[in-house]
């Protein structure tokens, strides 16, 4: 089993910044992908930013230039630095990881979600 523990959400004013963190632990042979999704009320869950196994990054067009994803491989932790936040960024943010375990079985894992609210 793998656990994803998120932290860093909260309330921030428009134009402000927040940093989210997600730490993975458990039966991890290799993390093939890790990143962040978000879901606003009444909307589908959408990709925000993610690392692929090759180390490249993908960003949603709506966050390019404002959000940065980075990671600490030694700690199996990924971060999302969010700057110039807008009301439209308000959502529950979920950490996601595609993990290969020691039985060489690949599974998707999700964190519990952390609320980000951008409001004055």
């Amino acid at each position: 089993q793998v656990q994803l523990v998120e932290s860093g959400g909260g309330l921030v004013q428009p134009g402000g910044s927040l940093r989210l963190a997600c730490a993975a632990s458990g039966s991890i042979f290799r993390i093939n992908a890790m990143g962040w999704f978000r879901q606003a009320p009444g909307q589908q869950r959408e990709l925000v930013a993610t690392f692929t196994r090759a180390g490249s990054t993908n960003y949603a067009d709506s966050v390019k230039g404002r959000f940065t994803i980075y990671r600490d491989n030694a700690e199996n932790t990924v971060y999302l630095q969010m700057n110039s936040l807008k009301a439209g960024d308000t959502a529950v943010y979920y950490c996601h990881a595609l993990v290969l375990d020691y039985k060489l079985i690949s599974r998707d894992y999700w964190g519990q979600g952390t609320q980000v609210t951008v409001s004055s």
Side-chain angles (χ1 to χ4, degrees):
Q1 272 290 1
V2 172
Q3 296 78 41
L4 302 180
V5 178
E6 302 151 339
S7 60
L11 173 65
V12 64
Q13 292 186 343
S17 298
L18 281 176
R19 189 183 76 160
L20 306 182
C22 175
S25 62
S27 181
I28 300 171
F29 177 73
R30 186 178 66 225
I31 296 178
N32 285 333
M34 192 168 181
W36 295 92
F37 288 69
R38 69 185 180 186
Q39 188 167 18
Q43 303 295 319
Q44 290 187 331
R45 192 171 296 189
E46 63 175 1
L47 171 74
V48 177
T50 190
F51 277 105
T52 67
R53 181 186 170 188
S56 62
T57 54
N58 292 321
Y59 290 92
D61 287 342
S62 60
V63 307
K64 285 180 181 177
R66 300 187 298 120
F67 291 10
T68 303
I69 188 170
Y70 60 101
R71 62 187 177 180
D72 181 338
N73 287 336
E75 298 293 332
N76 288 330
T77 300
V78 67
Y79 302 90
L80 184 68
Q81 178 65 43
M82 305 185 292
N83 298 328
S84 302
L85 282 160
K86 307 174 181 179
D89 296 316
T90 295
V92 178
Y93 284 69
Y94 295 93
C95 181
H96 166 264
L98 180 61
V99 177
L100 189 67
D101 64 22
Y102 289 105
K103 296 181 180 179
L104 302 183
I105 296 174
S106 182
R107 290 191 179 95
D108 288 289
Y109 292 91
W110 294 90
Q112 77 280 6
T114 185
Q115 177 70 46
V116 171
T117 302
V118 184
S119 175
S120 55

